[in-house]
Amino acid sequence: MRITVFGAGGNGGSRVVAEALSRGHQVTAVVRDPARFHGPPAAEVRTGDAGNVENVAELSVGQDVVISATRPAPGREGELVTTVRALLAGLARTGVRLLVVGGAGSLTVPGTGGTVIDDPDFPAGWRDIALACNDQLEACRAETEVDWAYLSPAALLEPGERTGDYRLGADELLVDAEGNSAISMEDLAVALLDEAERPKHHRTRFTVAY
């Protein structure tokens, strides 16, 4: 497949690039500053901005799927919404599918009726980005032309091991027998590439966890 990854220089994006290349796909890694990209040399590195409709259209022509793994700097969380709207507008021109790495804050917590962000123990420092991710998801849900899918990770997402194992869910937080909800960035990339290769979710959100 021909895959464009926006946010390719970040923690999540770099792992998506590595996973895609390991499967033999042709990857265009899009970053704002090529000097800060330290991912696999097999990727074609391009300068671009996911928040620029013209950039998105140009970098998605002829591709099979576009993956967005962008994360704004603290204090600029609102860019998540404007960026995803630009991505959707650009892809509406080219007809390419969009996969978005989003947030977990809007997932329903089993047995509570509330969402992850409603939990009294939800870290205050993550609240702004979680709220922005919720708005990002709503912006996707308002789109009816582009074929998109939104991936919400588990409650705990951090660098770790690639096991290749995960469980799929929809709008409810996935937890294990001890009540924990976690996934490594490496296995999140596995799930994302599995969805790219064998699409199961169209204009909807899904989630993954161990």
Side-chain angles (χ1 to χ4, degrees), residues 169-188:
D171 292 312
E172 185 174 85
L173 186 72
L174 294 174
V175 297
D176 62 16
E178 286 74 44
N180 299 313
S181 176
I183 191 83
S184 70
M185 290 182 177
E186 288 76 6
D187 281 332
L188 187 81

Side-chain angles (χ1 to χ4, degrees), residues 8-40:
N11 284 330
S14 60
R15 287 165 171 80
V16 171
V17 170
E19 179 66 24
L21 288 171
S22 74
R23 300 184 184 208
H25 300 306
Q26 298 176 29
V27 180
T28 300
V30 184
V31 291
R32 292 184 176 181
D33 180 6
R36 298 180 63 184
F37 179 74
H38 305 293

